[in-house]
Amino acid sequence: MTAVVSTPDALNFELPEELKLLKRSLREFVEKELWPLTDEVESSDEIPASAIGKMREMGLFGLPFAEEYGGAGIGELGYCVALEEFGRASAAFSNLLGAHCSIGAMALHLDGTKDLKDRYMPQLCSGEKLACFALSEPGAGSDAANISTTARRDGDIYMLAGVKHFITSGDIADFATVFAVTDPALGARGGITAFWVDLNGPGVKRGPKDRKMGLYGSHTCELIFEEAKVPADHVIGKVGSGFITAMKTLDMGRLSLAAGCVGSSQFMLEKSIVYAKERIQFGKPIGKQQAVQFMLADMATEIYAARNMVYHGAWKADRGERFSLEAAMAKRYCSDMAIQVVDRALQIHGGSGFMKETGIERVYRDSRILAIYEGTNEIQRMIIAEELLR
Amino acid sequence: MKIVVTVKQVPDTNAEKALDPKTKRLNRSSIENVLNPFDEYAIEEGLRLRESVGGDTTVTILTMAPASGTEVVRKALGMGADSAALISDESVGGSDTMATSYLLAQALRHIGFDLVLSGTQSTDAINSVVPAAVAERLGIPCLTFAKKVTLSDGRIEIQRETESGFWRVAARLPAMVSVTKGINEPRYPTLKGIMGAKKKEIKTLSLAEIGAEPARIGDAGSKTQVDSFATVGARAKGTVITVSDPKEGARQVLDFLIAKKAI
């Protein structure tokens, strides 16, 4: 993505004024509009339509996209600051945004033709239509290059056939970026193509929503393509360059996912500090016990490191520099950090932390997927090592 | 039509505040500043009036703040205000309501206005005097505590909130109106609004520009002086009654109130 936020050349850790305002406004929005819905989202496994409406009004679905399409044009740093604030609410909300902005519509935004973007980006930026990202298959998770969905050219159209699974927002999205094999002989390097697919068209079926450990309110399901017709001008990027598009898109997604980890961890730390000051055991607040102090100290230290990793990666992205290494490192570190931080938060809260009321057990369950989706942490390590040994 | 909304930068309402023993002023350095929450209603009302009146109606934000005050002004611009003016000069520090109303009136004369809107009070000083004082200095009608505002043909009518109901008060423009909390639901700055605010003008007004006399501003121009201050002792912690049976809880509360001779 091109640089849209002016970043000072000198080393400067202060957020620009508009991003401070963005952070404050989103904090207020999340606290007033989304937080009160958390229990309802958790028990009903649905985000109320009114909340999605409010997110639309705020312009959230166009967060990282160019202003010419109706996006906010806040750049990767701005997007990460926003996702950090969203990380404080239920993960269902950040997943809804992430599936759409970070990956679903991002592939189109990054590599789509001007014609395709002119046609679809405005309705995606307004949130009138939602997008998802369909790469994973039952036989191709971490081994993403091994996908078996095929796209066979037939005149002006491609016939899409295959099954994608664990597709976040697959049940509600209007469009999907779908990766399919156009040349089996070439494999990942030249044989995979990205398509912009209307999920409401003929030949597309959606499976039932998956039953998950957490992330209630955000659904995943199968997308089944049975000779679904896709116009040839709906290829994203070039025929055969799909795997590159997928990797580029995931770089962006990884950074913002890491930003969400920072936000949720920060919130867990704040809750734990309050509890450590209030909870009296052995005649004094548990925060006076070194065992608790050390847990808080480690949480804060790791969050500090994580936040700086995210901001630095985003800063590189906004300068138009390569940031695959930083994105992989941030995703790996921040997700592991978030899982550890919520574990400590639960430990500090003791038995209360195990109860639904404190809201920590939800974050505990929701966090486990962080080390798995958008590329497992093992895959991140492979990317990091590959960059090191190039 | 030109609507000007006067706003104030105040310390975050949730922050712990302390007075500086030397200057006897609020120590603002360590506290995050926010837009006075009461002013958000005035901004929202200004934007709604602009939408209903239409034409070339504009909403301008006017504030008196250090140069760092631009952040709160950006919020108002992010909500949709057209432009902003900032009276920013070191010598305005310490201005009380007399000096502040003088500065605001001078600035308002300079930038021009048909309608001035403000919140009823700030969350830090809570004097509720500035709107009336500004109107007095400008020689325009002042309509305070408006819970509803309607504009037509150069005439403004408000419902003035009272303890028992409301009064209908009307005046011809130009006029000053202070609006109550709850007159509307202030909008959030949208993402596009925030990014658009970056491009909107924030004009800094110098004292010379608005013709403010040094003797009438800051400490020199302030009639109120803080002689001394003391800290109010912390309130004792309340008693929490935890019971599973609500009836039992109610009985305990009742016993407590009777023991305290409260009922």
Side-chain angles (χ1 to χ4, degrees):
Chain A
M1 198 190 312
T2 50
V4 280
V5 172
S6 60
T7 309
D9 289 333
L11 196 56
N12 182 344
F13 287 102
E14 193 171 8
L15 287 177
E17 196 176 68
E18 68 272 14
L19 293 191
K20 282 191 210 165
L21 176 57
L22 172 88
K23 194 176 170 71
R24 200 193 295 275
S25 303
L26 283 180
R27 172 80 52 103
E28 206 182 321
F29 179 79
V30 165
E31 279 175 6
K32 282 195 192 153
E33 307 292 342
L34 304 185
W35 241 114
L37 303 171
T38 306
D39 284 346
E40 185 190 336
V41 169
E42 190 65 9
S43 57
S44 67
D45 194 17
E46 294 292 340
I47 296 178
S50 60
I52 298 180
K54 282 180 182 162
M55 287 167 71
R56 258 189 219 123
E57 275 174 37
M58 280 288 280
L60 289 167
F61 292 100
L63 261 167
F65 304 125
E67 285 171 283
E68 58 179 303
Y69 299 117
I74 58 173
E76 188 68 8
L77 180 60
Y79 186 51
C80 286
V81 167
L83 266 279
E84 192 182 331
E85 288 309 316
F86 261 79
R88 299 174 71 92
S90 159
F93 297 109
S94 31
N95 251 40
L96 175 70
L97 271 187
H100 174 80
C101 294
S102 304
I103 48 179
M106 184 56 84
L108 177 68
H109 190 249
L110 286 175
D111 282 349
T113 60
K114 188 178 178 305
D115 178 54
L116 215 50
K117 286 199 272 190
D118 284 347
R119 250 175 96 182
Y120 294 106
M121 283 311 296
Q123 43 187 330
L124 294 165
C125 287
S126 69
E128 185 196 331
K129 302 282 182 190
L130 292 178
C132 65
F133 185 84
L135 175 64
S136 295
E137 295 180 5
S142 285
D143 188 8
N146 193 37
I147 57 171
S148 57
T149 295
T150 55
R152 180 173 48 82
R153 178 125 196 191
D154 185 1
D156 285 343
I157 56 163
Y158 279 90
M159 303 295 272
L160 217 57
V163 175
K164 297 289 177 181
H165 84 160
F166 297 161
I167 306 306
T168 304
S169 296
D171 57 330
I172 54 167
D174 302 282
F175 296 97
T177 298
V178 180
F179 297 87
V181 177
T182 38
D183 188 342
L186 290 175
R189 308 287 168 197
I192 294 175
T193 302
F195 294 89
W196 185 247
V197 181
D198 179 354
L199 295 181
N200 298 315
V204 184
K205 279 190 196 157
R206 303 174 203 240
K209 69 179 183 189
D210 300 319
R211 296 174 63 226
K212 311 190 295 311
M213 170 178 172
L215 286 185
Y216 295 138
S218 166
H219 307 151
T220 64
C221 69
E222 279 191 342
L223 290 178
I224 304 132
F225 302 99
E226 294 170 338
E227 297 292 291
K229 289 177 186 164
V230 182
D233 61 3
H234 278 47
V235 166
I236 297 173
K238 294 193 189 84
V239 173
S241 71
F243 202 70
I244 297 167
T245 295
M247 293 304 115
K248 262 203 302 196
T249 308
L250 289 170
D251 276 348
M252 309 291 279
R254 280 165 190 155
L255 267 186
S256 52
L257 185 143
C261 295
V262 173
S264 101
S265 301
Q266 177 68 34
F267 189 55
M268 287 298 109
L269 173 64
E270 288 167 18
K271 264 178 106 81
S272 301
I273 291 172
V274 169
Y275 191 76
K277 285 180 177 173
E278 277 176 7
R279 172 72 174 163
I280 310 283
Q281 286 293 275
F282 305 106
K284 58 184 176 186
I286 58 168
K288 297 275 184 201
Q289 305 287 1
Q290 203 176 51
V292 173
Q293 289 173 358
F294 280 15
M295 280 195 267
L296 292 172
D298 285 345
M299 288 158 86
T301 306
E302 285 157 27
I303 293 168
Y304 171 62
R307 182 177 288 115
N308 279 307
M309 284 176 92
V310 172
Y311 284 12
H312 179 249
W315 175 80
K316 280 193 91 169
D318 281 336
R319 283 164 68 100
E321 292 176 25
R322 237 182 128 241
F323 62 99
S324 302
L325 176 66
E326 287 79 7
M329 285 175 162
K331 196 278 173 178
R332 201 297 285 163
Y333 182 82
C334 297
S335 56
D336 283 341
M337 181 275 301
I339 292 168
Q340 279 199 33
V341 164
V342 69
D343 185 55
R344 292 196 196 101
L346 204 150
Q347 191 68 19
I348 290 171
H349 281 75
S352 303
F354 197 68
M355 301 299 144
K356 295 258 178 208
E357 285 73 16
T358 49
I360 294 175
E361 66 84 33
R362 172 179 59 77
V363 181
Y364 185 89
R365 281 183 288 107
D366 288 354
S367 295
R368 190 58 186 84
I369 190 66
L370 295 166
I372 299 168
Y373 70 0
E374 303 241 355
T376 60
N377 285 3
E378 290 68 33
I379 289 292
Q380 303 308 319
R381 288 183 177 91
M382 278 169 60
I383 296 170
I384 296 164
E386 204 176 294
E387 290 276 332
L388 296 177
L389 301 170
R390 259 143 76 92
Chain B
M1 187 175 143
K2 187 163 182 176
I3 300 171
V4 180
V5 185
T6 57
V7 305
K8 187 178 183 185
Q9 171 183 290
V10 297
D12 189 344
T13 33
N14 298 320
E16 279 197 30
K17 300 170 196 78
L19 292 167
D20 185 326
K22 270 192 203 149
T23 61
K24 301 195 184 74
R25 287 184 202 161
L26 185 67
N27 185 356
R28 291 177 190 263
S29 59
S30 57
I31 308 173
E32 241 187 302
N33 290 308
V34 298
L35 179 61
N36 174 30
F38 285 89
D39 295 340
E40 290 188 23
Y41 300 96
I43 297 164
E44 177 64 35
E45 202 56 27
L47 298 174
R48 289 186 187 197
L49 288 172
R50 183 184 66 188
E51 281 152 21
S52 69
V53 174
D56 56 358
T57 302
T58 56
V59 175
T60 303
I61 303 300
L62 172 64
T63 193
M64 207 172 94
S68 63
T70 52
E71 197 189 327
V72 304
V73 172
R74 292 271 177 222
K75 179 169 185 185
L77 293 173
M79 287 169 74
D82 299 284
S83 62
L86 181 73
I87 309 167
S88 189
D89 192 292
E90 272 185 27
S91 59
V92 306
S95 292
D96 68 357
T97 49
M98 286 285 284
T100 301
S101 60
Y102 169 72
L103 282 158
L104 289 175
Q106 289 299 109
L108 283 162
R109 276 196 193 100
H110 177 76
I111 59 179
F113 61 91
D114 297 298
L115 174 65
V116 185
L117 294 170
S118 81
T120 50
Q121 68 200 67
S122 58
T123 52
D124 53 356
I126 329 180
N127 284 315
S128 291
V129 173
V130 169
V134 170
E136 187 62 24
R137 289 184 184 282
L138 292 169
I140 58 171
C142 183
L143 298 77
T144 53
F145 297 95
K147 64 171 192 136
K148 187 172 193 282
V149 175
T150 36
L151 258 178
S152 63
D153 301 328
R155 186 174 173 276
I156 187 153
E157 185 178 310
I158 69 153
Q159 289 183 5
R160 183 178 201 271
E161 193 170 281
T162 67
E163 277 177 23
S164 52
F166 65 86
W167 302 350
R168 276 174 48 205
V169 186
R172 296 215 69 82
L173 294 179
M176 169 99 206
V177 176
S178 77
V179 304
T180 59
K181 189 178 169 176
I183 185 175
N184 52 41
E185 184 73 38
R187 67 195 69 185
Y188 294 99
T190 62
L191 273 302
K192 270 196 238 176
I194 290 168
M195 296 315 282
K198 208 168 76 167
K199 295 164 200 149
K200 288 179 184 168
E201 188 192 16
I202 299 180
K203 198 174 182 328
T204 303
L205 301 173
S206 70
L207 297 179
E209 232 171 323
I210 61 172
E213 296 166 28
R216 300 181 70 179
I217 62 167
D219 276 331
S222 296
K223 303 289 181 199
T224 46
Q225 299 292 335
V226 180
D227 288 330
S228 64
F229 63 84
T231 312
V232 179
R235 213 187 296 178
K237 217 177 172 189
T239 314
V240 179
I241 298 169
T242 315
V243 285
S244 54
D245 176 15
K247 275 187 188 166
E248 169 60 18
R251 200 188 54 78
Q252 287 190 31
V253 172
L254 192 65
D255 288 347
F256 175 82
L257 291 173
I258 291 168
K260 294 276 176 195
K261 296 194 174 20
I263 48 174

